[in-house]
Amino acid sequence: LVKLMESGGGSAQAGGSLKLTCAVSQYSYSRYCMGWFRQVPGKEREVVAVMDPVNGNTKYFESVQGRFTITKDDAKVTLYLQMNSLKPDDTGIYYCAADGPLYCRTSYDSPDAYRYMGQGTQVTVAP
């Protein structure tokens, strides 16, 4: 059974940094997209950053471009999201996702396109 476990969430001041970790069990890297989504109450879950785990190509949501970085550990199936220059608008529950669209080519921004998603970790950014 594939399991995704997020960690690293918490509270930060605006301008600060946090690093999220997603440990994935019973899963292997492939050309199927992996990434991070976030959601705030009353809004739809939105894509933050995605990666083709084999060639390392990445895509970012416009509002986090230049501030967030998605990476992976080649020795184990673990995904990271380094978040710098945090803003209050970054507040939300962050979810890790796996087994998404092939090559992250189409529909990579839709949470319904991913077969697996974690339970989420809360990130709160104070002004």
Side-chain angles (χ1 to χ4, degrees):
L1 181 65
V2 176
K3 290 186 178 180
L4 290 78
M5 181 66 70
E6 302 97 339
S7 61
S11 299
Q13 295 292 120
S17 299
L18 286 172
K19 185 174 183 177
L20 305 183
T21 298
C22 174
V24 188
S25 60
Q26 303 300 315
Y27 190 80
S28 299
Y29 289 133
S30 67
R31 296 306 302 272
Y32 292 96
C33 204
M34 298 181 74
W36 292 91
F37 286 76
R38 69 185 180 192
Q39 188 170 23
V40 297
K43 292 189 176 181
E44 294 185 353
R45 198 167 295 186
E46 62 184 13
V47 66
V48 175
V50 298
M51 169 187 280
D52 177 329
V54 172
N55 66 18
N57 287 347
T58 58
K59 298 180 182 180
Y60 294 91
F61 186 45
E62 186 176 347
S63 70
V64 307
Q65 183 79 43
R67 301 188 297 119
F68 290 11
T69 304
I70 183 173
T71 58
K72 67 178 178 67
D73 188 326
D74 287 330
K76 53 187 176 182
V77 186
T78 300
L79 208 61
Y80 303 100
L81 185 68
Q82 177 66 48
M83 305 185 294
N84 298 329
S85 301
L86 284 164
K87 303 176 180 180
D89 284 348
D90 295 320
T91 294
I93 300 175
Y94 283 69
Y95 299 89
C96 175
D99 204 8
L102 188 62
Y103 312 128
C104 297
R105 186 168 290 169
T106 59
S107 301
Y108 61 88
D109 57 347
S110 171
D112 293 336
Y114 294 77
R115 184 174 182 182
Y116 305 108
M117 194 164 288
Q119 294 299 305
T121 185
Q122 176 71 45
V123 170
T124 303
V125 183

